[in-house]
Amino acid sequence: MKTELTLQDRSYTLYRYPKLSNEQLQAWDAGDEYLINHVEQLGLASDSRILILNDSFGALSCWFSSQHQVTTLTDSFISHKGIENNLALNQCRDIKLLTSTDGWPQHIDLVLMQIPRNNRYLTWQLNQVRRHYGEHCPLIAVNKAKEIHSSTLKLFEKYAGETTTSLAWKKHRLVFSKLNSDRLSSIDPYTTWPVQEESLTLGNLPNVYSGESLDLGARFILDHLPADLRYRDIIDLGCGNGVLSLKLKRLNPEASVTAVDESYMAIASAQHNFTINQLDQKNCQFIANNCLDGFEGQSQDLVVCNPPFHQQQAVTDHIAWQMFCDAKHVLRSEGELLVIGNRHLGYDKKLARLFGKHKVRLVASNAKFVILQATK
Ligand SMILES: C[S@@+](CC[C@H](N)C(=O)[O-])C[C@H]1O[C@@H](n2cnc3c(N)ncnc32)[C@H](O)[C@@H]1O
């Protein structure tokens, strides 16, 4: 797998985060290369103020930091770590690294964007970019050509301004917008809806997983969350909007509940949802993290997990595996991991490998999902 990004007369060594020994995927894509080549041809004044949105692992941040003042904003804790590590590895100049819930920088000359998968997040970012900057500040975005639909370009037109596109290069296309849309009013960042059967209201910031309706897996596992005084310390791993944490706290009011996700917007939404549902936050924590990196071993009684099977654009099961390994590490003896997954994902085998076959039991199943419990 290639780790050297060499363009023009410069080279950077770039790794994804976390760094895997058998990594199959590169830390940048042809879209990053297209954007870099294009911007280099513009002959920007040195020290231009560039805002980079959604840089995956720092290819853009590393490259542009050499001659410009870079601010990078992403929603991903994993991207943050990847960007920091790659900047350090390549001895790059400092940049300003922001999360998606930070305030936006004031004076920017150029915005570069890796177009996010999620249209609600794209819409919100375009609205923020337009509101904060004006026609003097071009926006150049990139994605795979097949992901740029006419509906995508309509969002750019509506929320950013006049929009054109480039020819495709290595299956990617650039999108150029002038920030001159007259739609300046702010979009409400929260999408809020009720889960009637649970008497809960869920607010979802734009990049939260399943932010427009309850995930089907979550709906199923909600009916199987346990209540017991022996659960003193509980983790909701990959908490999204926090729906499982909320119910766990209701069922186990004395327990400490820790909601963990790699999306800053998920963490902010989970905390917001404790507030709007008037749940006691005294023993609760909301932590942006990669799985349970750095968590103390033997410190928890229950870990509940509805794992992801995507990391950015890539379909992968290494995150679920990492989550299960980390859960085992943090559980006390006799502690339990409760997992929901699609039937076809084979989590039963993974858990049996890790915990032992007779320590894994089927809690419930339906046509689509299984809920499994593994005891340490
Ligand atoms: C399938 S969703 C589950 C969300 C929520 N718990 C539910 O049941 O609706 C998986 C969540 O895992 C988060 N996630 C993905 N990779 C992660 C990682 N490495 N560490 C922590 N969370 C991660 C995603 O952001 C997403 O919110």
Side-chain angles (χ1 to χ4, degrees):
M1 194 262 315
K2 209 169 142 198
T3 55
E4 295 300 306
L5 167 64
T6 304
L7 285 176
Q8 304 177 10
D9 55 353
R10 273 151 61 190
S11 204
Y12 293 88
T13 305
L14 300 170
Y15 293 100
R16 294 171 80 94
Y17 184 90
K19 205 166 152 186
L20 304 176
S21 52
N22 58 346
E23 184 62 82
Q24 309 286 318
L25 300 167
Q26 240 179 232
W28 73 95
D29 65 13
D32 293 316
E33 294 184 28
Y34 198 178
L35 208 44
I36 289 169
N37 282 328
H38 177 82
V39 173
E40 286 303 328
Q41 281 171 11
L42 299 178
L44 294 181
S46 63
D47 268 336
S48 292
R49 295 159 298 189
I50 301 184
L51 173 63
I52 300 173
L53 302 176
N54 319 320
D55 195 7
S56 302
F57 296 99
L60 299 173
S61 303
C62 286
W63 185 277
F64 290 109
S65 67
S66 79
Q67 276 155 29
H68 301 290
Q69 295 177 45
V70 169
T71 302
T72 296
L73 183 150
T74 99
D75 182 46
S76 162
F77 176 89
I78 289 174
S79 293
H80 267 228
K81 294 301 259 187
I83 294 167
E84 280 169 352
N85 289 353
N86 284 325
L87 285 166
L89 179 67
N90 292 284
Q91 294 164 358
C92 294
R93 289 203 312 184
D94 283 350
I95 67 161
K96 193 189 257 182
L97 197 47
L98 299 178
T99 77
S100 53
T101 55
D102 288 332
W104 285 59
Q106 279 201 326
H107 303 291
I108 291 296
D109 303 310
L110 172 66
V111 179
L112 304 179
M113 172 194 269
Q114 273 278 6
I115 299 176
R117 289 166 68 91
N118 166 350
N119 272 346
R120 203 159 66 85
Y121 190 42
L122 171 62
T123 302
W124 181 78
Q125 285 198 326
L126 292 174
N127 177 247
Q128 291 295 315
V129 166
R130 171 63 190 105
R131 282 167 34 77
H132 284 89
Y133 317 114
E135 227 172 315
H136 71 278
C137 172
L139 164 66
I140 311 177
V142 70
N143 205 353
K144 290 199 179 87
K146 66 175 189 196
E147 304 290 344
I148 303 177
H149 310 286
S150 55
S151 57
T152 319
L153 296 176
K154 281 196 185 126
L155 292 178
F156 277 84
E157 286 278 352
K158 184 168 172 183
Y159 292 99
E162 278 169 72
T163 295
T164 55
T165 57
S166 71
L167 294 174
W169 177 81
K170 288 195 182 174
K171 299 189 177 163
H172 284 70
R173 207 182 275 284
L174 300 176
V175 177
F176 307 99
S177 290
K178 282 187 184 167
L179 300 183
N180 60 3
S181 153
D182 54 14
R183 206 183 166 96
L184 280 164
S185 54
S186 171
I187 295 177
D188 183 352
Y190 276 103
T191 300
T192 302
W193 30 268
V195 184
Q196 251 131 16
E197 56 282 26
E198 300 290 345
S199 308
L200 288 172
T201 302
L202 295 178
N204 298 265
L205 284 171
N207 203 32
V208 171
Y209 170 84
S210 202
E212 302 198 45
S213 59
L214 187 60
D215 173 63
L216 289 178
R219 189 176 292 284
F220 186 41
I221 200 174
L222 277 169
D223 287 335
H224 298 276
L225 294 177
D228 199 304
L229 283 175
R230 73 175 186 276
Y231 302 128
R232 286 170 293 148
D233 296 287
I234 302 177
I235 289 180
D236 174 8
L237 180 49
C239 63
N241 56 27
V243 61
L244 305 183
S245 304
L246 294 164
K247 175 110 189 240
L248 284 163
K249 185 66 182 169
R250 271 207 185 139
L251 291 169
N252 302 276
E254 298 304 317
S256 136
V257 173
T258 303
V260 179
D261 203 287
E262 80 94 23
S263 154
Y264 295 102
M265 286 194 163
I267 290 303
S269 304
Q271 183 152 23
H272 168 83
N273 288 330
F274 268 69
T275 305
I276 63 173
N277 289 285
Q278 287 152 9
L279 274 154
D280 185 7
Q281 291 178 40
K282 193 166 52 170
N283 280 333
C284 297
Q285 299 182 79
F286 304 89
I287 300 178
N289 206 39
N290 173 36
C291 302
L292 299 175
D293 280 359
F295 277 59
E296 202 184 321
Q298 315 248 25
S299 59
Q300 306 293 320
D301 305 297
L302 177 65
V303 177
V304 172
C305 184
N306 177 6
F309 43 98
H310 284 101
Q311 185 187 32
Q312 289 162 358
Q313 318 291 48
V315 177
T316 165
D317 68 358
H318 82 266
I319 304 169
W321 178 248
Q322 189 62 52
M323 286 181 165
F324 301 163
C325 294
D326 288 4
K328 186 177 175 202
H329 171 71
V330 303
L331 284 173
R332 300 187 172 108
S333 173
E334 300 302 318
E336 292 156 18
L337 167 61
L338 193 65
V339 171
I340 176 142
N342 280 56
R343 282 176 165 280
H344 71 267
L345 291 171
Y347 289 160
D348 52 338
K349 293 192 186 65
K350 285 191 164 56
L351 293 174
R353 223 171 102 198
L354 205 55
F355 287 81
K357 200 170 172 191
H358 54 284
K359 294 282 195 177
V360 179
R361 100 181 157 84
L362 179 68
V363 175
S365 67
N366 63 17
K368 199 161 176 214
F369 297 105
V370 290
I371 299 175
L372 300 159
Q373 184 199 65
T375 306
K376 182 163 165 184

